[in-house]
Amino acid sequence: MSSTFYVEILTPERKFFWGDVETIIVKTPTGEMGILKGHIPTVVVIDIGSIKIKKNGKWFEAVLSEGFMEVKQDQAIILVDTAEWPDEIDINRAKAAKARAEERLQRQRSETEYIQSKAALARAMARLKVKGK
Ligand code: ATP
């Protein structure tokens, strides 16, 4: 019996990933969550961070930003703002984004700007982490 389930990761720009996998581990606001075939139906918030995908016995990692995941009938559909594989990540761009966000966080600004800067910092740090920098 197959122990795989179907996963699709979509962004507004592209169909980032689709296929049958053994496991995924996603980041949620309350911690990491692993999904295997037969998981109960659920909808969870996806937090900025890495997703780990086990396909054909091998692990792959990518960076996702905010979104949602719906799990039902042996499939998981993930809708996120952005997604990148490590080899797509531009380190200098992420470092510059990190510096900009840190600089913005130093200043007293509106709550909206604070939240936006925190999210930009988290995206940049997640990209650098997956890239190993
Ligand atoms: P920046 O300020 O550098 O645009 P950002 O975090 O605001 O960073 P996003 O809005 O999350 O950028 O992403 C916009 C688009 O650019 C998405 O397609 C995303 O995949 C891509 N992207 C963002 N940062 C990088 C990066 N460092 N390397 C490669 N692609 C990136």
Side-chain angles (χ1 to χ4, degrees), residues 3 5 18-19 23 28 30 36 39 49-51 55 58 65 71 78 85 96 102-104 111 114 129 133:
S3 58
F5 64 104
W18 63 97
T23 316
T28 78
T30 51
L36 295 163
H39 195 283
S50 79
I51 179 171
K55 184 173 167 62
K58 279 171 79 183
S65 58
V71 181
I78 298 174
W85 297 111
E102 282 169 344
E103 198 264 325
R104 283 205 308 269
E111 195 176 340
Y114 175 78
K129 189 173 174 200
K133 298 282 165 184

Side-chain angles (χ1 to χ4, degrees), residues 13 82-84 88-90 93-94 97 100 120 123 127:
E13 290 169 4
T82 64
E84 300 101 34
E88 294 175 323
I89 294 169
D90 177 336
R93 178 174 169 180
R100 271 198 313 279
R123 289 195 299 276
R127 287 174 180 134

